[in-house]
Amino acid sequence: MYIALLTYTAPETEVGYALPDHSEWLRKQFTNGLFLVSGKGNGAADQVILTRPVLRGKLDAVLASDPFVVRRLARYDVIEFTATRTAQELLAINEAIAS
């Protein structure tokens, strides 16, 4: 699984212009089943996304298609981790434990 940390590299006023496109992009990733949780960061990251386990190359390609990244308004830092414990409600999304 991955935690993707989005950090703005442009002023928030510029980021705001691309927000509708970014929101649509997020919606698409949730619909496709890749993203599990997203929200505003409370620290070093401006936004945080938790993803399903996928090949890292696929995740990198998806993140590179974010309108914020395409327009050079933000960048992602990705933390990969192996979930070894999962709440009962989330077992279906943790293929490593569910199988």
Side-chain angles (χ1 to χ4, degrees):
M1 297 179 85
Y2 300 93
I3 300 170
L5 305 172
L6 178 79
T7 304
Y8 300 141
T9 57
E12 286 196 43
T13 52
E14 289 181 41
V15 171
Y17 293 119
L19 190 55
D21 293 337
H22 171 75
S23 295
E24 176 60 24
W25 174 84
L26 275 175
R27 185 199 60 73
K28 181 179 176 185
Q29 304 319 315
F30 277 101
T31 299
N32 291 342
L34 178 59
F35 291 176
L36 301 172
V37 177
S38 70
K40 183 165 175 38
N42 294 326
D46 292 299
Q47 292 184 24
V48 178
I49 300 169
L50 177 65
T51 77
R52 274 185 196 282
V54 295
L55 293 175
R56 176 63 188 262
K58 177 179 179 176
L59 177 62
D60 289 343
V62 169
L63 296 177
S65 71
D66 181 343
F68 284 167
V69 174
V70 171
R71 297 177 187 168
R72 296 191 169 118
L73 301 173
R75 66 173 167 73
Y76 280 97
D77 292 306
V78 177
I79 300 168
E80 182 175 2
F81 72 101
T82 302
T84 56
R85 291 188 184 185
T86 303
Q88 188 68 32
E89 302 84 12
L90 302 177
L91 281 176
I93 64 167
N94 186 357
E95 291 90 352
I97 292 177
S99 55

